[in-house]
Amino acid sequence: MDPRRRAVELLTKSDLSAQEAAEVLADLCDAWVLHDLFWKKDHPRNHVVMEIGEKLNELGGFALMREAYERFVRLRPPKGSTSPGSILEQVWHGIGDWQR
């Protein structure tokens, strides 16, 4: 399934888990790296990544966001100077208590 479509379906769930969120974020990361859109902060595709962060915050606050982030970083560790985790931190900046 298309990662973006999977992400949109994920956002409709009332019981979103950190693991599900991390897996969808990893799939989005992989798909966008192929198209050289690696989560550029101002890129329109980041809207869905922000929505995932907002949904996690709504369901479990900072703790659920942090758990999803940590799971994501384990799935997509840094490679050279590229750090998917740091990009996710930037995209989620300002959602709930994230990086405040």
Side-chain angles (χ1 to χ4, degrees):
M1 178 185 292
D2 172 56
R4 186 164 166 75
R5 180 175 293 155
R6 186 171 170 219
V8 170
E9 288 179 9
L10 185 79
L11 292 169
T12 64
K13 293 183 72 171
S14 61
D15 60 345
L16 174 63
S17 75
Q19 184 62 37
E20 289 174 305
E23 290 171 0
V24 168
L25 291 166
D27 289 346
L28 289 168
C29 176
D30 293 347
W32 296 350
V33 166
L34 293 175
H35 300 288
D36 196 31
L37 298 172
F38 186 70
W39 290 7
K40 295 176 179 165
K41 177 132 175 79
D42 58 347
H43 196 281
R45 288 185 182 218
N46 281 335
H47 186 70
V48 73
V49 175
M50 289 171 34
E51 286 180 354
I52 291 170
E54 290 167 353
K55 181 74 171 189
L56 290 165
N57 184 60
E58 174 187 319
L59 295 173
F62 177 79
L64 187 59
M65 290 181 74
R66 185 70 190 178
E67 182 181 351
Y69 169 82
E70 289 172 358
R71 289 173 182 264
F72 170 74
V73 170
R74 284 194 297 270
L75 291 170
R76 296 298 177 272
K79 290 183 180 178
S81 63
T82 303
S83 173
S86 67
I87 295 169
L88 181 58
E89 288 175 11
Q90 293 172 24
V91 174
W92 281 1
H93 182 77
I95 297 173
D97 289 330
W98 192 260
Q99 294 187 344
R100 288 191 183 203

